[in-house]
Amino acid sequence: MHRRFMTIWFRHLTTDWLAIRQPALRQIPFVLAENVHGRKVITAANILAQRQGIDCGMVVADARAIFPSLEVLDDVPDRAEKLLMALARWTVRYTPVTAIDPPDGLILEVTGCAHLWGGEAAYLQEITTRLATLGYDVRAAMAGTIGAAWAMSRFGQGELIAHGGSESTALLNLPPAALRLSPEILDRLHPLGLNRLHYLIAMPRAALRRRFGPELLLQLDRALGRVEEMIQPVEPPVQYRERLPCLEPIATRTGIEIALSRLLDTLCHRLQSEEKGLRTAAFTCHKLDGKAASIAIGTHYPSHRAAHLYKLFEEKIASLAPDPGIELFTLEAPVVEDCPPGQIMLWKESGGVADPRVAELLDRLAGKMGESGIHRYLPDEHYWPERSIKLASSLQELPSIPWPADRPRPIRLLKAPVQIGVTAPIPDYPPMLFRYLGKVHRIKKADGPERIEQEWWLEKGPRRDYYQVEDEEGQRYWIFRSGPYKADQSNQWFLHGFFA
Amino acid sequence: MHASNKDIMARLQMDILPLQGFRPPASDRAASMGLGPVEAAFPTGHFPTGAVHEWMSDTAEQSAATQGFLSALLGKLLLQGGACIWIGTARTLFPSALAAFGVAAERLIFIDLRREKDILWAMEEALQCEGLAAVVGECRDIDLTASRRLQLAVEHSRVTGLLLRHQPRHKNAVASVARWKVSPLPSVIEDGLPGVGFPRWEVQLLKVRNGRPGKWQVEWSAGQFHILAPVMPASLHEPQRKTG
């Protein structure tokens, strides 16, 4: 397929934007200016100011001499670029690949997009009309190369669409400046009378290279499609993305739900045929006023089940504010993993936690309560009780070491050890009795000590001597003495858990 | 034909049981918990899976005993595959201890919630998931309506629901198949050897729907339950109010 590009030239980008925000400015000539070496230099002028002969690069004092009541506003240096970024995001409803072309242009790759609007002429018309309605003065052109489209949008007269292969004819009568050349080269071309591109195209390449350097040839080749030109899209292209434009703006929940389920069906069908499953997805609503609202979900297991994904999104639909109406829905899956169909059966037999049904349940719970509440633990190679377990990173992760079963561990472990009062401690043996929550427990049976050293490379602190003890009622506890035994009975004892 | 009246009654009783949530387990999943006389207290003669059980505890020690007994049961339930979800707000279960009760702790997924009222919602959602073997919910108070919703969920999915009620404010009737209480008992050491013996509990079935409540002494050793000399409670023949 031949690639097609469109360039949009905003002739008065910053001044138009200000006029949209302050309608009063539409009626008067005004300029934007910034301080350069102590002088105020004009950086942008609106069309009324230009009619008075005021243009960029002039000093404000000179402009005031021409037109005394000129309105001068301060310019913000990177405003143009920010505006272009916003406009580039707005064009997502026409094409997925858009790049900005500072200081005043956009480059759209429109390969295979125009037929959705009934042909290239209608497509171009639609975009320029929409931008004009917003208040921007634009010229747009479409061609098979970025260079040709750029030249036509800036310098072309009449026809704004160059059909495949006719780029060179469209360029013949344009000035060399249409090739995006640096001012030095243009200055050298001008005295030679090379003021139309057809002179350059007819000349031998070797002569051009010798006299004007490689830049001229490169730009010429780019415009004619001999060298491919790359653009950097504003939004990185996502492989799994579906779009649903609407004929009429949608503002109801039912409408959004229908759009969502349609997009999910299409995307899931595609994922299924490629044996993939998505891990994250985002559903974005592009609204009439150029703003976008988005909801995102994540899954614990690659999924292409539309019904399940719909359920996850459904919880969040309420957070979308559809006013003043949605004109385009997009659904994209940035993270996609392999999901072979045989795997489902395999898991079913082994019946582990990686069962897709369990993963779907966790997705629903995480959607409502948040991901942070879901934990699964694996054994870790530490004796220190607080560090003997670690969080599993995924549902599929299996323990790297077996669960230790050779040492007694309490079924209930307190979040932090609680200090207890003890009586009659004996060296290397647990106390005769201890007091916990105001109750005295007389120790009848005891096991231990199990000495657990603090891992000094992780944390500093005294070691612990753990005892499993049972009181006269048969209640079993895990208590420890912090640090070595001291004869002056100043040892600190703690209760750390309850045995079953 | 008057002799068949008894048969008819027995058959009718067996027809009623499934309607009350006592469905016989599918043949391939029928496995004993190894609890002998405790299981005999249930009308079907074995531990009802695919139903909601209620576990009461008043003290931290009782709660630990309950969790130990329950972990041993979970170990048996997980033998038939599946995973377990443990829902609570202030969880204290220590995964490293589960190996002693025959549970592979990596098959437990903990859902730690901030608010008590989310527990019932999460439990109901989890009980509908057929890929699970059991769902444990640490839920202090539950009303009859909420417990009926859990009962309805398990009837479709055949997941076993275990409600841990620690220090409930009201010991109200809920739609559970049984109400258990487990308390610790002193362990026994042979011949005065030092150390602490195997975990030993007093297991009480306070309420059993259509069954016989009772009290047993159970010890857990070598991966099996051992039922010790039965204790005959005085309240055994007291009529139990039917719940659910």
Side-chain angles (χ1 to χ4, degrees):
Chain A
M1 186 193 275
H2 290 292
R3 299 179 75 183
R4 301 292 288 163
F5 293 95
M6 180 167 152
T7 56
I8 305 175
W9 178 32
F10 294 86
R11 288 202 281 190
H12 304 93
L13 179 64
T14 42
T15 52
D16 280 348
W17 179 75
L18 276 169
I20 293 168
R21 292 172 59 103
Q22 303 172 35
L25 288 173
R26 276 185 209 164
Q27 316 298 334
I28 52 165
F30 75 98
V31 293
L32 301 179
E34 64 178 5
N35 280 322
V36 179
H37 300 299
R39 301 190 306 168
K40 285 206 121 180
V41 176
I42 293 172
T43 51
N46 76 342
I47 194 150
L48 293 173
Q50 281 179 339
R51 278 196 199 131
Q52 304 290 335
I54 299 165
D55 217 335
C56 298
M58 283 174 89
V59 182
V60 170
D62 297 348
R64 281 248 165 87
I66 300 171
F67 191 83
S69 64
L70 184 71
E71 187 79 24
V72 180
L73 302 169
D74 282 334
D75 198 8
V76 181
D78 54 352
R79 182 188 280 158
E81 197 150 327
K82 278 187 186 153
L83 278 175
L84 283 177
M85 287 299 272
L87 286 162
R89 293 217 175 81
W90 175 82
T91 58
V92 74
R93 58 209 73 204
Y94 298 107
T95 168
V97 184
T98 306
I100 61 167
D101 175 24
D104 55 4
L106 288 181
I107 302 169
L108 282 63
E109 178 167 0
V110 296
T111 316
C113 295
H115 75 275
L116 297 170
W117 275 264
E120 295 194 334
Y123 183 69
L124 193 77
Q125 185 64 40
E126 159 81 14
I127 296 180
T128 41
T129 315
R130 281 293 296 273
L131 285 169
T133 323
L134 288 176
Y136 289 104
D137 181 14
V138 295
R139 272 174 66 92
M142 205 187 286
T145 62
I146 296 171
W150 196 93
M152 286 159 66
S153 64
R154 265 66 168 186
F155 295 91
Q157 278 116 25
E159 190 61 43
L160 288 170
I161 297 174
H163 295 286
S166 67
E167 282 83 18
S168 55
T169 16
L171 291 176
L172 288 179
N173 276 320
L174 302 184
L179 285 182
R180 296 178 281 174
L181 296 172
S182 56
E184 298 83 55
I185 298 181
L186 291 176
D187 285 348
R188 272 188 276 159
L189 286 169
H190 185 66
L192 298 171
L194 296 171
N195 54 1
R196 285 288 172 261
L197 282 179
H198 59 88
Y199 301 128
L200 290 175
I201 291 172
M203 275 186 185
R205 293 171 64 84
L208 285 178
R209 182 188 302 277
R210 198 169 59 241
R211 301 209 45 164
F212 303 107
E215 187 194 333
L216 173 66
L217 279 177
L218 176 70
Q219 293 293 21
L220 192 62
D221 286 347
R222 279 178 169 176
L224 296 175
R226 294 180 196 145
V227 171
E228 203 175 340
E229 185 175 349
M230 296 295 172
I231 52 171
Q232 173 91 43
V234 172
E235 305 265 337
V238 177
Q239 197 184 353
Y240 294 92
R241 184 208 289 258
E242 297 294 334
R243 310 155 51 83
L244 184 68
C246 310
L247 283 176
E248 289 285 322
I250 282 178
T252 60
R253 186 182 170 108
T254 324
I256 297 174
E257 284 173 353
I258 293 169
L260 175 62
S261 66
R262 275 225 228 155
L263 284 171
L264 275 173
D265 284 343
T266 331
L267 184 70
C268 288
H269 185 73
R270 192 173 144 208
L271 288 169
Q272 196 168 10
S273 60
E274 294 175 26
E275 297 192 355
K276 302 265 188 203
L278 64 83
R279 291 296 303 275
T280 63
F283 176 65
T284 312
C285 303
H286 298 272
K287 295 187 273 189
L288 276 180
D289 56 0
K291 297 200 173 88
S294 178
I295 48 177
I297 55 150
T299 65
H300 286 82
Y301 189 84
S303 170
H304 52 237
R305 272 197 51 213
H308 169 61
L309 297 171
Y310 180 78
K311 217 170 175 183
L312 297 184
F313 273 121
E314 200 181 14
E315 303 252 330
K316 300 187 176 173
I317 288 182
S319 68
L320 290 170
D323 291 329
I326 299 160
E327 56 176 343
L328 172 76
F329 294 98
T330 59
L331 177 69
E332 57 184 46
V335 184
V336 168
E337 287 176 6
D338 285 337
C339 175
Q343 211 169 333
I344 293 165
M345 288 312 293
L346 185 77
W347 289 119
K348 211 171 190 172
E349 280 161 26
S350 70
V353 284
D355 187 315
R357 292 171 296 182
V358 178
E360 288 184 3
L361 167 72
L362 294 182
D363 293 344
R364 288 200 296 277
L365 293 176
K368 180 116 172 172
M369 328 276 192
E371 187 65 48
S372 59
I374 298 177
H375 302 130
R376 198 168 74 91
Y377 296 98
L378 297 177
D380 205 359
E381 284 177 315
H382 295 283
Y383 285 110
W384 199 255
E386 286 91 338
R387 283 193 284 268
S388 65
I389 52 172
K390 62 175 176 187
L391 281 175
S393 59
S394 73
L395 273 185
Q396 284 82 12
E397 193 182 354
L398 292 172
S400 50
I401 50 166
W403 284 97
D406 51 340
R407 287 158 207 278
R409 286 291 175 269
I411 192 87
R412 290 188 62 180
L413 187 78
L414 296 174
K415 292 260 184 291
V418 178
Q419 191 164 4
I420 47 174
V422 300
T423 308
I426 314 160
D428 295 332
Y429 207 76
M432 305 298 286
L433 54 89
F434 69 91
R435 232 169 266 103
Y436 172 60
L437 296 182
K439 196 171 172 237
V440 176
H441 299 269
R442 280 169 209 290
I443 293 173
K444 289 286 164 202
K445 299 191 189 75
D447 212 348
E450 179 189 347
R451 173 162 296 178
I452 302 182
E453 290 283 351
Q454 178 64 267
E455 291 154 306
W456 53 262
W457 57 95
L458 295 172
E459 199 183 330
K460 285 198 166 39
R463 64 182 180 225
R464 295 171 177 178
D465 282 339
Y466 276 100
Y467 295 91
Q468 181 187 5
V469 299
E470 186 181 293
D471 69 5
E472 69 265 48
E473 289 168 46
Q475 303 173 135
R476 290 169 278 272
Y477 304 89
W478 208 33
I479 60 171
F480 70 85
R481 185 187 61 228
S482 186
Y485 173 79
K486 290 178 201 147
D488 60 357
Q489 305 204 351
S490 63
N491 277 118
Q492 289 195 316
W493 285 82
F494 294 88
L495 180 99
H496 202 184
F498 301 88
F499 282 94
Chain B
M1 282 296 156
H2 62 276
S4 66
N5 271 359
K6 216 173 182 182
D7 299 342
I8 292 170
M9 287 295 279
R11 208 169 59 238
L12 280 176
Q13 187 63 46
M14 291 313 282
D15 287 347
I16 290 169
L17 284 180
L19 300 175
Q20 292 182 325
F22 280 99
R23 250 188 290 172
S27 55
D28 58 321
R29 295 186 64 158
S32 169
M33 296 288 140
L35 272 169
V38 185
E39 288 186 75
F42 290 98
T44 46
H46 45 70
F47 181 84
T49 55
V52 179
H53 296 256
E54 199 190 350
W55 306 78
M56 311 297 269
S57 60
D58 295 322
T59 61
E61 292 84 359
Q62 274 180 1
S63 168
T66 309
Q67 290 181 13
F69 184 73
L70 194 122
S71 306
L73 280 179
L74 274 185
K76 305 274 183 199
L77 284 171
L78 286 171
L79 285 181
Q80 288 136 32
C84 170
I85 287 203
W86 192 295
I87 304 165
T89 47
R91 177 175 46 82
T92 48
L93 187 81
F94 188 39
S96 290
L98 291 172
F101 295 100
V103 180
E106 75 270 7
R107 282 168 68 184
L108 259 67
I109 301 165
F110 297 98
I111 314 282
D112 297 329
L113 302 173
R114 252 167 285 145
R115 290 179 300 175
E116 284 253 341
K117 63 177 185 179
D118 288 336
I119 294 178
L120 287 172
W121 179 85
M123 238 190 125
E124 192 183 337
E125 196 78 2
L127 283 172
Q128 288 165 358
C129 175
E130 291 168 13
L132 296 173
V135 176
V136 184
E138 293 184 34
C139 181
R140 194 169 168 190
D141 285 299
I142 179 170
D143 62 13
L144 185 62
T145 320
S147 67
R148 277 197 174 140
R149 290 180 66 102
L150 301 184
Q151 178 67 32
L152 281 178
V154 296
E155 277 176 19
H156 288 111
S157 62
R158 313 299 299 147
V159 179
T160 310
L162 305 161
L163 264 176
L164 286 180
R165 299 183 64 187
H166 182 55
Q167 296 176 341
R169 292 183 195 92
H170 309 288
K171 294 191 177 171
N172 55 332
V174 302
S176 62
V177 78
R179 177 176 281 182
W180 301 73
K181 184 169 189 173
V182 184
S183 323
L185 283 180
S187 61
V188 173
I189 292 283
E190 278 178 49
D191 306 331
L193 288 169
V196 179
F198 293 114
R200 197 176 265 223
W201 308 293
E202 182 184 76
V203 177
Q204 276 176 282
L205 265 172
L206 300 171
K207 289 181 180 180
V208 192
R209 203 190 294 159
N210 294 331
R212 297 179 307 278
K215 203 189 225 180
W216 298 268
Q217 288 196 2
V218 180
E219 188 180 80
W220 173 260
S221 59
Q224 287 301 326
F225 290 113
H226 298 278
I227 314 293
L228 308 167
V231 190
M232 280 300 167
S235 66
L236 189 68
H237 301 292
E238 216 171 83
Q240 289 290 330
R241 199 153 63 87
K242 225 167 26 173
T243 59

